[in-house]
Coordinates of all heavy atoms in Angstrom, one line a residue:
M130 N 0.8 -1.2 0.0 CA 0.0 0.0 0.0 C 0.9 1.3 0.0 O 1.8 1.4 0.8 CB -0.9 0.0 1.2 CG -1.8 1.2 1.3 SD -2.9 1.2 2.7 CE -1.8 1.5 4.0
M131 N 0.6 2.1 -0.9 CA 1.4 3.4 -1.0 C 1.0 4.3 0.2 O -0.2 4.6 0.4 CB 1.0 4.1 -2.3 CG 1.8 5.4 -2.5 SD 3.5 5.1 -2.9 CE 4.0 6.8 -3.1
R132 N 2.0 4.8 0.9 CA 1.7 5.7 2.0 C 2.1 7.1 1.7 O 3.1 7.3 1.0 CB 2.4 5.2 3.3 CG 1.9 3.9 3.9 CD 2.5 3.6 5.2 NE 3.9 3.4 5.1 CZ 4.8 3.3 6.1 NH1 4.3 3.5 7.3 NH2 6.0 3.1 6.0
T133 N 1.4 8.1 2.2 CA 1.8 9.5 1.9 C 2.1 10.1 3.3 O 1.4 10.0 4.2 CB 0.6 10.2 1.3 OG1 0.2 9.6 0.1 CG2 1.0 11.7 1.0
F134 N 3.2 10.8 3.3 CA 3.7 11.5 4.5 C 3.6 13.0 4.2 O 3.9 13.5 3.1 CB 5.1 11.1 4.8 CG 5.3 9.7 5.0 CD1 5.6 8.8 3.9 CD2 5.2 9.1 6.3 CE1 5.7 7.5 4.1 CE2 5.4 7.7 6.5 CZ 5.6 6.9 5.4
T135 N 3.3 13.8 5.2 CA 3.2 15.2 5.0 C 3.9 16.0 6.2 O 4.1 15.4 7.3 CB 1.7 15.7 5.0 OG1 1.1 15.4 6.2 CG2 1.0 15.0 3.9
T136 N 4.2 17.2 5.9 CA 4.7 18.1 7.0 C 3.5 18.7 7.7 O 2.3 18.4 7.4 CB 5.5 19.3 6.4 OG1 4.6 20.0 5.5 CG2 6.7 18.8 5.6
R137 N 3.7 19.5 8.7 CA 2.6 20.0 9.5 C 1.6 20.8 8.7 O 0.4 20.7 8.9 CB 3.1 20.9 10.6 CG 2.1 21.5 11.5 CD 2.7 22.4 12.5 NE 1.7 23.2 13.2 CZ 2.0 24.0 14.2 NH1 3.2 24.3 14.6 NH2 1.0 24.7 14.8
D138 N 2.1 21.5 7.6 CA 1.1 22.3 6.8 C 0.5 21.5 5.7 O -0.1 22.0 4.8 CB 1.8 23.5 6.3 CG 2.9 23.2 5.2 OD1 3.1 22.0 4.9 OD2 3.6 24.2 4.8
G139 N 0.8 20.2 5.7 CA 0.2 19.3 4.7 C 1.0 19.1 3.4 O 0.6 18.4 2.5
S140 N 2.2 19.7 3.3 CA 3.0 19.5 2.2 C 3.6 18.1 2.2 O 3.8 17.5 3.2 CB 4.2 20.5 2.2 OG 3.8 21.8 2.3
I141 N 3.7 17.6 1.0 CA 4.2 16.2 0.9 C 5.7 16.2 1.4 O 6.5 17.0 1.0 CB 4.2 15.7 -0.6 CG1 2.8 15.7 -1.1 CG2 4.9 14.3 -0.8 CD1 1.9 14.7 -0.4
W142 N 6.0 15.2 2.2 CA 7.3 15.0 2.8 C 7.7 13.5 2.7 O 6.9 12.7 3.1 CB 7.3 15.4 4.2 CG 8.4 14.8 5.0 CD1 8.3 13.8 6.0 CD2 9.8 15.1 5.0 NE1 9.5 13.5 6.5 CE2 10.5 14.3 5.9 CE3 10.6 16.0 4.2 CZ2 11.9 14.3 6.1 CZ3 12.0 16.0 4.4 CH2 12.6 15.2 5.4
M143 N 8.8 13.2 2.1 CA 9.2 11.8 2.0 C 10.3 11.6 3.0 O 11.5 12.0 2.8 CB 9.7 11.6 0.5 CG 10.2 10.1 0.3 SD 8.9 8.9 0.6 CE 7.7 9.3 -0.7
P144 N 10.0 10.8 4.1 CA 11.1 10.5 5.0 C 12.2 9.6 4.3 O 11.9 8.9 3.4 CB 10.4 9.6 6.1 CG 8.9 10.0 5.9 CD 8.7 10.3 4.4
S145 N 13.4 9.8 4.8 CA 14.5 9.0 4.3 C 15.2 8.4 5.5 O 15.9 9.1 6.2 CB 15.5 9.9 3.5 OG 16.5 9.1 2.9
Y146 N 14.9 7.1 5.7 CA 15.3 6.4 6.9 C 16.8 6.0 6.9 O 17.3 5.5 5.9 CB 14.5 5.2 7.2 CG 13.0 5.5 7.3 CD1 12.1 5.0 6.4 CD2 12.5 6.4 8.3 CE1 10.7 5.3 6.5 CE2 11.2 6.6 8.5 CZ 10.3 6.1 7.6 OH 8.9 6.4 7.7
L147 N 17.5 6.1 8.0 CA 18.8 5.6 8.1 C 18.7 4.1 8.3 O 18.0 3.6 9.1 CB 19.5 6.2 9.4 CG 20.9 5.6 9.7 CD1 21.9 6.0 8.6 CD2 21.3 6.1 11.1
T148 N 19.4 3.4 7.4 CA 19.3 1.9 7.4 C 20.6 1.3 7.8 O 20.6 0.2 8.4 CB 18.9 1.3 6.1 OG1 19.8 1.8 5.0 CG2 17.4 1.8 5.7
S149 N 21.8 1.9 7.5 CA 23.0 1.3 7.9 C 24.2 2.4 7.8 O 24.0 3.4 7.3 CB 23.4 0.2 6.9 OG 23.6 0.7 5.6
I150 N 25.3 2.0 8.5 CA 26.5 2.9 8.5 C 27.6 2.0 8.2 O 27.8 0.9 8.7 CB 26.7 3.5 9.9 CG1 25.5 4.5 10.3 CG2 28.0 4.2 10.0 CD1 25.6 5.0 11.7
D151 N 28.4 2.5 7.2 CA 29.6 1.7 6.7 C 30.7 1.7 7.8 O 31.3 2.8 8.0 CB 30.1 2.3 5.4 CG 31.2 1.4 4.8 OD1 31.8 0.6 5.5 OD2 31.5 1.6 3.6
S152 N 31.0 0.6 8.4 CA 31.9 0.5 9.5 C 33.4 0.8 9.0 O 34.2 1.1 9.8 CB 31.9 -0.8 10.2 OG 32.2 -1.9 9.3
K153 N 33.6 0.6 7.7 CA 34.9 0.8 7.2 C 35.3 2.3 7.0 O 36.5 2.7 7.1 CB 35.1 0.2 5.8 CG 34.9 -1.3 5.8 CD 36.0 -2.0 6.6 CE 35.8 -3.5 6.5 NZ 36.7 -4.2 7.5
T154 N 34.3 3.1 6.8 CA 34.6 4.6 6.6 C 34.2 5.5 7.7 O 34.6 6.6 7.8 CB 33.9 5.0 5.3 OG1 32.5 4.7 5.4 CG2 34.5 4.4 4.1
C155 N 33.3 5.0 8.6 CA 32.9 5.8 9.8 C 34.1 6.1 10.7 O 34.9 5.2 10.9 CB 31.9 5.1 10.6 SG 31.4 5.9 12.1
I156 N 34.2 7.4 11.1 CA 35.4 7.7 12.0 C 34.9 8.0 13.4 O 35.7 8.4 14.2 CB 36.0 9.0 11.4 CG1 35.0 10.2 11.3 CG2 36.7 8.7 10.1 CD1 35.6 11.5 10.9
G157 N 33.7 7.6 13.7 CA 33.2 7.7 15.1 C 33.2 9.2 15.7 O 33.3 9.3 16.9
C158 N 32.9 10.1 14.8 CA 33.0 11.5 15.2 C 31.8 11.9 16.1 O 31.8 13.0 16.7 CB 33.1 12.4 14.0 SG 31.6 12.5 13.0
C159 N 30.7 11.2 16.0 CA 29.5 11.4 16.8 C 28.6 12.6 16.3 O 27.6 12.9 17.0 CB 29.8 11.6 18.3 SG 30.1 10.1 19.2
R160 N 28.9 13.2 15.2 CA 28.1 14.2 14.7 C 26.7 13.8 14.5 O 25.7 14.4 14.9 CB 28.6 14.8 13.4 CG 29.9 15.6 13.5 CD 30.4 16.0 12.1 NE 31.5 17.0 12.1 CZ 32.7 16.7 12.3 NH1 33.1 15.4 12.5 NH2 33.7 17.6 12.3
C161 N 26.5 12.6 13.9 CA 25.2 12.1 13.7 C 24.4 11.8 15.0 O 23.2 12.1 15.1 CB 25.2 10.8 12.8 SG 26.3 9.5 13.6
F162 N 25.1 11.3 15.9 CA 24.5 10.9 17.2 C 24.0 12.2 17.9 O 22.9 12.2 18.5 CB 25.6 10.2 18.1 CG 25.1 9.8 19.5 CD1 24.4 8.6 19.6 CD2 25.3 10.6 20.6 CE1 23.9 8.3 20.9 CE2 24.8 10.2 21.8 CZ 24.1 9.1 22.0
K163 N 24.8 13.3 17.8 CA 24.4 14.5 18.5 C 23.1 15.2 17.9 O 22.4 15.8 18.6 CB 25.5 15.5 18.4 CG 26.7 15.1 19.3 CD 27.8 16.1 19.1 CE 29.0 15.7 20.0 NZ 30.3 16.4 19.7
V164 N 22.9 15.0 16.6 CA 21.7 15.6 16.0 C 20.5 14.7 16.0 O 19.4 15.2 15.8 CB 22.0 16.1 14.6 CG1 23.1 17.1 14.5 CG2 22.3 14.9 13.6
C165 N 20.6 13.4 16.4 CA 19.5 12.5 16.3 C 18.8 12.6 17.7 O 19.4 12.4 18.7 CB 20.0 11.1 16.0 SG 18.6 9.9 15.9
S166 N 17.5 12.7 17.6 CA 16.7 12.8 18.8 C 15.9 11.4 19.1 O 15.1 11.4 20.0 CB 15.6 13.9 18.7 OG 14.8 13.6 17.6
R167 N 16.3 10.4 18.4 CA 15.5 9.2 18.4 C 16.2 7.9 18.9 O 15.6 6.8 18.8 CB 14.9 8.9 17.0 CG 14.0 10.0 16.4 CD 12.7 10.0 17.1 NE 12.0 8.8 16.9 CZ 11.0 8.3 17.6 NH1 10.5 9.1 18.6 NH2 10.5 7.2 17.4
D168 N 17.4 8.0 19.4 CA 18.1 6.9 20.0 C 18.1 5.7 18.9 O 17.8 4.6 19.2 CB 17.4 6.4 21.2 CG 17.5 7.3 22.4 OD1 18.5 8.1 22.4 OD2 16.6 7.4 23.2
V169 N 18.6 6.1 17.7 CA 18.6 5.1 16.7 C 20.0 4.4 16.7 O 20.1 3.2 16.2 CB 18.4 5.7 15.3 CG1 18.6 4.8 14.2 CG2 17.0 6.3 15.3
M170 N 21.0 5.1 17.1 CA 22.4 4.6 17.0 C 23.2 4.8 18.3 O 22.8 5.5 19.2 CB 23.1 5.3 15.8 CG 23.1 6.8 16.1 SD 23.6 7.8 14.6 CE 22.0 8.3 14.0
H171 N 24.4 4.1 18.4 CA 25.2 4.4 19.5 C 26.7 4.1 19.0 O 26.9 3.4 18.1 CB 24.9 3.5 20.7 CG 25.3 2.1 20.6 ND1 24.6 1.1 19.9 CD2 26.4 1.5 21.1 CE1 25.2 0.0 20.0 NE2 26.3 0.1 20.7
L172 N 27.6 4.7 19.8 CA 29.0 4.5 19.5 C 29.5 3.2 20.1 O 29.2 2.8 21.2 CB 29.8 5.7 20.2 CG 31.2 6.0 19.7 CD1 31.1 6.3 18.2 CD2 31.8 7.1 20.5
H173 N 30.3 2.5 19.2 CA 30.7 1.1 19.5 C 32.2 0.9 19.3 O 32.7 1.4 18.3 CB 29.8 0.2 18.6 CG 30.2 -1.3 18.8 ND1 29.7 -2.0 19.9 CD2 30.9 -2.1 18.0 CE1 30.1 -3.2 19.7 NE2 30.8 -3.3 18.6
G174 N 32.8 0.2 20.2 CA 34.2 -0.1 20.0 C 34.4 -1.2 18.9 O 33.6 -2.1 18.9
D175 N 35.4 -1.1 18.0 CA 35.5 -2.0 16.9 C 37.0 -2.3 16.7 O 37.8 -1.4 16.8 CB 34.9 -1.4 15.6 CG 34.9 -2.4 14.5 OD1 34.6 -3.5 14.7 OD2 35.3 -2.0 13.4
E176 N 37.3 -3.6 16.4 CA 38.7 -3.9 16.1 C 39.0 -3.5 14.7 O 38.2 -3.9 13.8 CB 39.0 -5.3 16.4 CG 39.2 -5.7 17.8 CD 39.8 -7.1 18.0 OE1 39.9 -7.8 17.0 OE2 40.1 -7.4 19.1
D177 N 40.0 -2.8 14.4 CA 40.4 -2.4 13.0 C 41.3 -3.5 12.4 O 42.4 -3.7 12.8 CB 41.1 -1.1 13.1 CG 41.2 -0.4 11.7 OD1 41.3 -1.2 10.7 OD2 41.1 0.8 11.6
D178 N 40.7 -4.1 11.4 CA 41.5 -5.2 10.7 C 42.8 -4.8 10.1 O 43.7 -5.5 9.9 CB 40.6 -5.8 9.6 CG 39.4 -6.5 10.2 OD1 39.5 -6.9 11.4 OD2 38.4 -6.7 9.5
D179 N 42.8 -3.5 9.7 CA 44.1 -3.0 9.1 C 45.3 -3.0 10.0 O 46.4 -2.9 9.6 CB 43.9 -1.5 8.6 CG 42.8 -1.4 7.5 OD1 42.5 -2.5 6.9 OD2 42.3 -0.3 7.3
F180 N 45.0 -3.1 11.3 CA 46.1 -3.2 12.3 C 46.1 -4.5 13.0 O 46.5 -4.6 14.2 CB 45.9 -2.0 13.3 CG 46.0 -0.7 12.6 CD1 44.9 0.0 12.2 CD2 47.3 -0.1 12.5 CE1 45.0 1.2 11.6 CE2 47.4 1.2 11.9 CZ 46.2 1.8 11.4
D181 N 45.8 -5.6 12.3 CA 45.8 -6.9 12.8 C 45.1 -7.1 14.2 O 45.4 -7.8 15.0 CB 47.3 -7.3 13.1 CG 48.1 -7.4 11.8 OD1 47.5 -7.9 10.8 OD2 49.2 -6.9 11.8
G182 N 44.0 -6.3 14.3 CA 43.2 -6.4 15.5 C 43.8 -5.8 16.7 O 43.2 -6.0 17.8
K183 N 44.9 -5.1 16.6 CA 45.6 -4.6 17.8 C 45.1 -3.2 18.1 O 45.3 -2.8 19.3 CB 47.1 -4.6 17.6 CG 47.7 -6.0 17.4 CD 49.2 -5.9 17.1 CE 49.7 -7.3 16.9 NZ 51.0 -7.3 16.1
L184 N 44.5 -2.6 17.2 CA 44.1 -1.2 17.5 C 42.6 -1.1 17.5 O 41.9 -1.5 16.5 CB 44.7 -0.3 16.4 CG 44.4 1.2 16.6 CD1 45.1 1.7 17.8 CD2 44.8 2.0 15.4
N185 N 42.0 -0.6 18.5 CA 40.6 -0.5 18.6 C 40.2 1.0 18.2 O 41.0 1.9 18.4 CB 40.1 -0.7 20.0 CG 40.0 -2.2 20.3 OD1 39.9 -3.0 19.4 ND2 40.0 -2.5 21.6
R186 N 39.1 1.1 17.5 CA 38.6 2.4 17.2 C 37.1 2.4 17.5 O 36.5 1.4 17.7 CB 38.9 2.7 15.7 CG 38.1 1.8 14.8 CD 38.7 1.9 13.3 NE 37.9 1.0 12.5 CZ 37.0 1.5 11.6 NH1 36.8 2.8 11.4 NH2 36.3 0.7 10.9
M187 N 36.5 3.6 17.5 CA 35.1 3.7 17.8 C 34.4 4.0 16.5 O 34.8 4.8 15.6 CB 34.9 4.9 18.7 CG 35.6 4.7 20.1 SD 35.2 3.2 20.9 CE 33.6 3.7 21.7
I188 N 33.3 3.3 16.3 CA 32.4 3.6 15.1 C 31.0 3.7 15.6 O 30.6 3.2 16.6 CB 32.5 2.4 14.1 CG1 32.1 1.1 14.7 CG2 33.9 2.4 13.4 CD1 32.0 0.0 13.8
M189 N 30.2 4.3 14.8 CA 28.7 4.5 15.1 C 28.0 3.3 14.5 O 28.3 2.9 13.3 CB 28.2 5.8 14.5 CG 26.9 6.2 15.0 SD 26.9 6.5 16.8 CE 28.0 7.9 16.9
V190 N 27.1 2.7 15.2 CA 26.3 1.6 14.7 C 24.8 1.9 14.9 O 24.4 2.5 15.8 CB 26.7 0.2 15.4 CG1 28.1 -0.2 15.1 CG2 26.5 0.3 16.9
V191 N 24.1 1.4 13.9 CA 22.6 1.5 14.0 C 22.1 0.3 14.8 O 22.3 -0.9 14.5 CB 22.0 1.4 12.6 CG1 20.5 1.5 12.7 CG2 22.6 2.5 11.7
D192 N 21.4 0.6 15.9 CA 20.9 -0.5 16.7 C 19.4 -0.6 16.9 O 18.9 -1.5 17.3 CB 21.6 -0.6 18.1 CG 21.6 0.8 18.8 OD1 20.8 1.6 18.4 OD2 22.3 0.9 19.8
D193 N 18.7 0.5 16.4 CA 17.3 0.5 16.5 C 16.7 1.3 15.3 O 16.2 2.3 15.5 CB 16.8 1.0 17.8 CG 15.3 0.5 18.1 OD1 14.7 0.0 17.1 OD2 14.9 0.7 19.2
A194 N 16.9 0.7 14.1 CA 16.5 1.4 12.9 C 15.0 1.7 12.9 O 14.6 2.7 12.2 CB 16.9 0.6 11.6
G195 N 14.3 0.9 13.6 CA 12.8 1.1 13.6 C 12.4 2.4 14.3 O 11.2 2.8 14.1
R196 N 13.3 3.0 15.0 CA 12.9 4.3 15.7 C 13.2 5.5 14.8 O 12.7 6.6 15.2 CB 13.7 4.4 17.0 CG 13.3 3.5 18.1 CD 14.1 3.7 19.4 NE 14.0 5.1 19.8 CZ 13.0 5.6 20.5 NH1 11.9 4.9 20.8 NH2 13.0 6.9 20.8
C197 N 13.8 5.3 13.7 CA 14.1 6.5 12.8 C 12.9 7.1 12.2 O 12.0 6.4 11.8 CB 15.1 6.0 11.7 SG 15.5 7.2 10.5
I198 N 12.8 8.4 12.2 CA 11.7 9.1 11.6 C 12.1 9.6 10.2 O 11.2 10.3 9.6 CB 11.2 10.3 12.5 CG1 12.3 11.3 12.8 CG2 10.6 9.7 13.8 CD1 11.8 12.5 13.5
G199 N 13.3 9.4 9.8 CA 13.7 9.8 8.4 C 13.9 11.2 8.2 O 13.6 11.7 7.1
C200 N 14.3 11.9 9.2 CA 14.5 13.4 9.1 C 15.7 13.8 8.2 O 15.7 14.9 7.7 CB 14.6 14.0 10.5 SG 16.2 13.6 11.3
G201 N 16.7 12.9 8.2 CA 17.8 13.1 7.3 C 18.9 13.9 8.0 O 20.0 14.1 7.4
A202 N 18.7 14.4 9.2 CA 19.7 15.2 9.9 C 21.1 14.6 10.0 O 22.1 15.2 9.8 CB 19.2 15.7 11.2
C203 N 21.1 13.3 10.3 CA 22.4 12.6 10.5 C 23.2 12.5 9.2 O 24.4 12.7 9.3 CB 22.1 11.2 11.1 SG 21.0 10.2 10.1
G204 N 22.5 12.3 8.1 CA 23.2 12.3 6.9 C 23.8 13.6 6.5 O 24.9 13.7 5.8
R205 N 23.1 14.7 6.8 CA 23.6 16.0 6.5 C 24.9 16.4 7.2 O 25.7 17.2 6.7 CB 22.5 17.1 6.7 CG 21.3 16.9 5.8 CD 20.3 17.9 6.1 NE 20.8 19.3 5.7 CZ 20.1 20.2 5.1 NH1 18.8 20.0 4.8 NH2 20.6 21.4 4.8
V206 N 25.0 15.9 8.4 CA 26.2 16.3 9.2 C 27.4 15.3 9.1 O 28.5 15.6 9.6 CB 25.9 16.5 10.7 CG1 24.8 17.6 10.8 CG2 25.4 15.2 11.3
C207 N 27.2 14.2 8.5 CA 28.2 13.2 8.4 C 29.3 13.7 7.4 O 29.1 13.9 6.2 CB 27.7 11.9 7.9 SG 29.0 10.6 7.7
P208 N 30.6 13.8 7.9 CA 31.7 14.2 7.0 C 32.2 13.1 6.1 O 33.1 13.4 5.2 CB 32.7 14.7 8.0 CG 32.5 13.8 9.2 CD 31.0 13.5 9.3
K209 N 31.8 11.9 6.3 CA 32.4 10.8 5.6 C 31.4 10.1 4.6 O 31.8 9.2 3.9 CB 32.9 9.7 6.5 CG 34.0 10.2 7.5 CD 35.3 10.7 6.7 CE 36.0 9.4 6.2 NZ 37.2 9.8 5.5
N210 N 30.2 10.6 4.6 CA 29.2 10.1 3.6 C 29.1 8.5 3.8 O 29.1 7.8 2.7 CB 29.5 10.5 2.2 CG 28.3 10.3 1.3 OD1 27.2 10.3 1.7 ND2 28.6 10.0 0.0
C211 N 29.1 8.0 5.0 CA 29.2 6.6 5.2 C 27.8 6.0 5.6 O 27.7 4.8 5.9 CB 30.2 6.2 6.2 SG 30.2 7.1 7.7
Q212 N 26.8 6.8 5.5 CA 25.5 6.3 5.9 C 24.6 6.0 4.7 O 24.8 6.6 3.6 CB 24.7 7.4 6.7 CG 25.4 7.8 8.0 CD 24.7 8.9 8.7 OE1 23.6 9.3 8.3 NE2 25.2 9.3 9.8
T213 N 23.8 5.0 4.9 CA 22.8 4.7 3.8 C 21.4 5.0 4.3 O 21.0 4.7 5.4 CB 22.8 3.2 3.5 OG1 24.1 2.8 3.0 CG2 21.8 2.8 2.4
H214 N 20.7 5.8 3.5 CA 19.3 6.2 3.8 C 18.5 5.7 2.7 O 18.8 5.7 1.5 CB 19.2 7.7 3.9 CG 19.9 8.3 5.1 ND1 19.2 8.9 6.2 CD2 21.2 8.5 5.4 CE1 20.1 9.3 7.1 NE2 21.3 9.1 6.6
V215 N 17.3 5.3 3.1 CA 16.3 4.7 2.1 C 15.0 5.5 2.2 O 14.5 5.6 3.3 CB 16.1 3.2 2.3 CG1 15.1 2.7 1.3 CG2 17.4 2.5 2.1
A216 N 14.5 6.0 1.1 CA 13.2 6.7 1.1 C 12.1 5.8 1.5 O 12.1 4.6 1.2 CB 12.9 7.2 -0.3
A217 N 11.1 6.4 2.2 CA 10.1 5.6 2.8 C 9.3 4.8 1.7 O 8.9 3.6 2.0 CB 9.1 6.5 3.6
D218 N 9.1 5.3 0.6 CA 8.4 4.6 -0.5 C 9.2 3.5 -1.1 O 8.6 2.8 -2.0 CB 7.8 5.6 -1.5 CG 8.8 6.3 -2.3 OD1 10.0 6.2 -1.9 OD2 8.5 7.0 -3.2
E219 N 10.4 3.4 -0.8 CA 11.3 2.3 -1.3 C 11.4 1.2 -0.4 O 11.9 0.1 -0.7 CB 12.6 2.8 -1.7 CG 12.6 3.8 -2.9 CD 14.0 4.4 -3.2 OE1 15.0 3.9 -2.7 OE2 14.0 5.5 -3.8
L220 N 11.0 1.4 0.9 CA 11.2 0.3 1.9 C 9.9 -0.6 1.9 O 8.8 -0.1 1.8 CB 11.3 1.0 3.3 CG 12.6 1.4 3.8 CD1 12.5 2.0 5.2 CD2 13.6 0.3 3.8
A221 N 10.2 -1.8 2.0 CA 9.1 -2.8 2.1 C 8.4 -2.6 3.5 O 9.1 -2.4 4.5 CB 9.6 -4.2 1.9
T222 N 7.1 -2.6 3.5 CA 6.5 -2.4 4.8 C 5.9 -3.7 5.3 O 5.8 -4.6 4.6 CB 5.3 -1.3 4.7 OG1 4.4 -1.8 3.6 CG2 5.9 0.0 4.4
Ligands
LIG634 S1 17.3 10.3 9.9 FE1 16.8 11.6 11.7 S2 15.8 10.2 13.2 FE2 16.8 8.9 11.6 S3 18.7 8.3 12.5 FE3 19.1 10.2 11.3 S4 18.9 11.9 12.7 FE4 18.0 10.1 13.7
LIG635 S1 28.7 11.4 11.4 FE1 29.4 9.8 9.9 S2 31.5 9.5 10.4 FE2 30.7 10.6 12.1 S3 30.0 9.0 13.6 FE3 28.2 9.4 12.3 S4 28.3 7.9 10.6 FE4 30.4 8.0 11.6

């Protein structure tokens, strides 16, 4: 079923939901975390394969994608373009 989303004044608005973050390119800067009001992601320690697992780094991970409202703020502030967003009408419901 095709769903229609609108802004407060009734204008058509297409949410673009965060679905994943590329762990290889994320630098763990937390910019996305700071602008998100929905508890969709958190910072996570990760072993970096490039250093034989000896060096840990922090990356952002999506842990509750279902809470995303598709505002797109996190994607706008990401300096590494490592997030994937999917328009609401392209997601299977
Ligand atoms: S699109 Fe908006 S609600 Fe969804 S994760 Fe990004 S900042 Fe949070
Ligand atoms: S803004 Fe981008 S690079 Fe920074 S933590 Fe979020 S996903 Fe990673």
Side-chain angles (χ1 to χ4, degrees):
M130 182 180 71
M131 180 73 178
R132 292 188 295 167
T133 302
F134 302 88
T135 65
T136 62
R137 181 179 170 182
D138 69 3
S140 303
I141 297 296
W142 157 255
M143 182 58 66
S145 187
Y146 300 119
L147 175 66
T148 56
S149 64
I150 294 174
D151 186 343
S152 62
K153 298 293 183 196
T154 51
C155 175
I156 57 174
C158 68
C159 280
R160 286 176 173 83
C161 56
F162 182 82
K163 288 175 182 170
V164 298
C165 182
S166 61
R167 297 288 301 165
D168 293 332
V169 174
M170 59 192 99
H171 78 277
L172 200 58
H173 178 76
D175 185 45
E176 283 193 350
D177 193 325
D178 293 336
D179 294 343
F180 296 92
D181 298 318
K183 292 173 184 163
L184 184 67
N185 282 338
R186 64 194 184 107
M187 303 301 281
I188 57 169
M189 196 61 64
V190 295
V191 179
D192 50 12
D193 198 349
R196 289 184 53 80
C197 177
I198 59 173
C200 69
C203 54
R205 294 183 65 141
V206 298
C207 179
K209 300 296 288 182
N210 195 28
C211 51
Q212 301 178 1
T213 299
H214 292 251
V215 178
D218 63 352
E219 294 175 16
L220 276 179
T222 55

